[in-house]
Amino acid sequence: MIALRLLIDSGGNVNAVNATEGASVLHWACIAGNVRAVHLLRQRGADLHHADKRGYNALLHAQRSLAQSQAEIKHIILLSDGLTAPPPDDATAKPAE
């Protein structure tokens, strides 16, 4: 967490994207179930609506995460920027485009 804060404070892009998968830093925090990182990234302006190459946004990554913190991460995301779209019932379903 300290490393993430230092990177952001030194000018790191909170919306940096992995070239291979198109996943953002926020996506990886959701996948890892890191509530503190998700909260920090949202405070610093991470884009909730960015979709990776599969069409998944942060909420869908949180939904697919097996982390115990899944519900808390989804709560942070849903309260941010008015994002209210429900995740699909089937966690393997591709989101509507």
Side-chain angles (χ1 to χ4, degrees):
M1 192 61 199
I2 292 170
L4 177 60
R5 190 176 307 277
L6 286 171
L7 284 169
I8 294 170
D9 289 346
S10 64
N13 181 359
V14 296
N15 291 309
V17 173
N18 170 309
T20 304
E21 299 170 358
S24 70
V25 180
L26 182 59
H27 291 172
W28 288 113
C30 290
I31 291 165
N34 190 328
V35 174
R36 291 173 55 203
V38 169
H39 189 65
L40 175 63
L41 289 164
R42 285 301 305 132
Q43 285 179 327
R44 301 296 182 95
D47 182 5
L48 287 174
H49 305 286
H50 170 76
D52 64 16
K53 290 183 179 179
R54 294 179 296 173
Y56 289 14
N57 63 18
L59 181 60
L60 288 170
H61 280 295
Q63 173 68 23
R64 294 173 51 87
S65 171
L66 298 177
Q68 290 181 336
S69 53
Q70 176 192 66
E72 189 173 353
I73 290 172
K74 290 188 327 189
H75 179 73
I76 291 168
I77 292 171
L78 287 170
L79 290 178
S80 300
D81 290 345
L83 183 64
T84 57
D89 291 334
D90 179 0
T92 61
K94 185 169 178 168
E97 295 182 11

